[in-house]
Amino acid sequence: MKEKIWLSSPHMGGREMKYIKDAFDENWIAPLGPNVNGLENDLEKFFDQDVHVAALSSGTAALHLSLILLGVEPGDYVICQSLTFSASANPIAYIGAKPIFVDSEKDTWNLCPDAVEEAIKFGISEGKKPKAIIAVALYGISYKVDEITALSKKYDIPVIEDAAEALGSMYKNQKCGTFGDLGVISFNGNKIITTSGGGALTLRDKAFKKKAVFLSTQAKDDAPHYEHTTIGYNYRMSNVCAGIGRGQMEVLEERVAQRRANHDFYEKLFKDNPHVSLHKEPNEDYFANYWLSVVQINPSSPVSVEDIMERFQAENIETRPIWKPMHLQPVFQDEAYFGSDLAEKLFNNGMCLPSASNMTDNDRKRIAEVIQEIFG
Ligand SMILES: *Cc1c(COP(=O)(O)O)cnc(C)c1O
């Protein structure tokens, strides 16, 4: 068997072990400590906006806390992009709130503004204006920030920016993760940088960050004994994991450049191929980290997307389907949906190609050979 080419594997920078060793040397083996504070500072510097960062145990935890911080309660409506990973939507269910799923638009594959407005009007007509809009920057391409922010202002509904896949991406030169009322980052093992498992929340002010940290550390009131007036969560990041994150932050810009180089490689590979369309930045307002390079297989293609994926698998090269839209998931089948069938079509015809920042020239050669074999 040839060596496996992974879709998106961890890629250490080299200094992670130093920060982990610090944690051991100082005996900060706990969900708090200098690496946790250090990673938050690194991220705040990186975002270069007036945002505060709370390091958490996962991106999913960050989404859950976002909804709690916005006061979402059982029975409330929350608008959520349908074409996304289930972690964008699951926290709505944790709370007992109700998702309203919304279709994509063709440029970014993210929230369709017209369908968002329909969903808002539907909520209002039911006497329940949606409490939040979860806007995803899918595969590292920002959503239409100006349009979605305008709707957020018009109807006074906060935006949770799910930038779990978009650390290092930008829109009009501003970093993704800083556009929403709250922003979510993930450091899972397959993301552009990793802490093995982990996430972060970006918040607009210090008081809000304090509240996020309070809730994520069991909501212990300021009292000599254990006093609780609120339900708390165990969602803080481990100081050992944060050490990995500190090392990874040192190479984030390099990782973005490497993923973008993969995308350039695919752009050249498919340049004269009428059957394959590579998903890319719609215009110069967008700067993608290209966490994953994804393609649509056009109806003209002599080979189906399933067959293409099988050919890669036979060569021990990992590919993946595009996220299956939430409104088509059995677990969410009874929830409302607004829009057309774009998300479904993108899912049916799409696939994710190997995109790791540590791919070698030889890996790229093997990928090119498979494509050459399929399309001639
Ligand atoms: C990975 C991901 C999450 C969840 O992050 P975890 O750190 O794995 O909990 C949320 N939303 C999207 C779009 C993701 O890709």
Side-chain angles (χ1 to χ4, degrees):
M1 195 68 142
K2 284 187 189 152
E3 205 180 318
K4 176 132 183 169
I5 301 177
W6 297 95
L7 186 81
S8 178
S9 55
H11 186 183
M12 293 300 106
R15 296 241 304 156
E16 292 82 2
M17 286 301 282
K18 178 213 160 268
Y19 291 106
I20 293 174
K21 187 169 180 301
D22 291 347
F24 276 71
D25 289 349
E26 296 156 11
N27 205 27
W28 278 107
I29 313 296
L32 79 166
N35 283 336
V36 175
N37 301 336
L39 178 59
E40 290 178 345
N41 288 335
D42 294 345
L43 283 161
E44 284 168 7
K45 256 198 220 126
F46 174 78
F47 284 125
D48 194 26
Q49 289 285 318
D50 200 14
V51 293
H52 301 267
V53 175
L56 301 172
S57 54
S58 69
T60 310
L63 276 153
H64 189 194
L65 273 190
S66 304
L67 294 171
I68 293 164
L69 287 164
L70 293 175
V72 177
E73 290 179 357
D76 285 343
Y77 281 132
V78 175
I79 292 172
C80 182
Q81 184 163 326
S82 185
L83 187 67
T84 186
F85 180 47
S86 63
S88 303
N90 283 338
I92 304 169
Y94 298 169
I95 289 184
K98 287 188 71 61
I100 304 177
F101 292 114
V102 164
D103 201 1
S104 301
E105 47 77 20
K106 64 176 175 34
D107 294 336
T108 69
W109 299 6
N110 296 313
L111 282 178
C112 167
D114 294 341
V116 169
E117 189 153 26
E118 273 184 69
I120 294 171
K121 286 180 175 162
F122 162 77
I124 292 171
S125 75
E126 299 264 300
K128 285 192 297 188
K129 189 174 81 172
K131 282 280 182 72
I133 299 167
I134 299 176
V136 185
L138 206 68
Y139 300 122
I141 298 181
S142 179
Y143 60 89
K144 293 200 159 168
V145 173
D146 293 346
E147 285 87 339
I148 299 301
T149 306
L151 286 170
S152 156
K153 291 216 168 94
K154 179 175 172 188
Y155 291 97
D156 192 23
I157 303 173
V159 171
I160 298 169
E161 182 186 7
D162 182 349
E165 302 178 359
L167 184 60
S169 301
M170 291 188 280
Y171 177 77
K172 292 186 176 170
N173 278 320
Q174 184 180 328
K175 300 262 175 25
C176 289
T178 66
F179 291 109
D181 295 83
L182 293 145
V184 170
I185 297 295
S186 168
F187 300 113
N188 206 322
N190 62 355
K191 296 298 196 313
I192 189 155
I193 61 168
T194 182
T195 60
S196 72
L201 193 54
T202 67
L203 307 107
R204 294 260 160 223
D205 64 66
K206 237 185 171 137
F208 224 30
K209 172 177 170 176
K210 209 170 159 207
K211 189 157 182 212
V213 171
F214 168 76
L215 290 172
S216 72
T217 52
Q218 311 285 22
K220 290 188 250 311
D221 289 342
D222 194 9
H225 57 278
Y226 283 88
E227 179 84 2
H228 301 276
T229 47
T230 322
I231 296 293
Y233 302 84
N234 186 3
Y235 278 173
R236 199 76 165 122
M237 184 183 277
S238 150
N239 191 58
V240 179
C241 294
I244 306 174
R246 295 215 68 191
Q248 290 272 278
M249 281 304 291
E250 294 181 7
V251 292
L252 174 57
E253 304 274 16
E254 204 179 310
R255 297 294 174 264
V256 172
Q258 285 157 329
R259 299 243 178 191
R260 287 179 63 84
N262 287 334
H263 192 272
D264 284 345
F265 157 73
Y266 286 119
E267 189 138 24
K268 287 194 190 87
L269 187 61
F270 298 123
K271 188 164 61 80
D272 299 316
N273 188 328
H275 309 303
V276 182
S277 309
L278 182 66
H279 185 37
K280 54 185 176 218
E281 297 152 345
N283 59 50
E284 56 278 9
D285 287 341
Y286 295 83
F287 177 89
N289 67 2
Y290 287 130
W291 169 58
L292 295 185
S293 289
V294 294
V295 291
Q296 288 287 301
I297 305 305
N298 301 332
S300 67
S301 172
V303 189
S304 72
V305 65
E306 291 81 12
D307 289 343
I308 296 170
M309 291 179 68
E310 244 168 56
R311 298 282 273 278
F312 275 108
Q313 199 183 359
E315 293 297 318
N316 208 20
I317 298 170
E318 184 183 21
T319 62
R320 291 256 181 101
I322 283 179
W323 304 124
K324 181 176 176 180
M326 291 303 114
H327 73 283
L328 302 176
Q329 298 288 355
V331 74
F332 291 125
Q333 64 185 1
D334 296 332
E335 309 302 345
Y337 172 72
F338 287 88
S340 180
D341 59 354
L342 181 62
E344 184 169 5
K345 280 190 178 141
L346 291 169
F347 165 63
N348 285 334
N349 303 316
M351 64 182 282
C352 308
L353 293 157
S355 304
S357 47
N358 48 11
M359 279 211 299
T360 63
D361 284 343
N362 192 51
D363 293 341
R364 279 182 280 269
K365 192 161 150 269
R366 281 173 57 196
I367 291 164
E369 278 164 9
V370 175
I371 291 297
Q372 174 71 22
E373 219 181 274
I374 293 172
F375 293 105

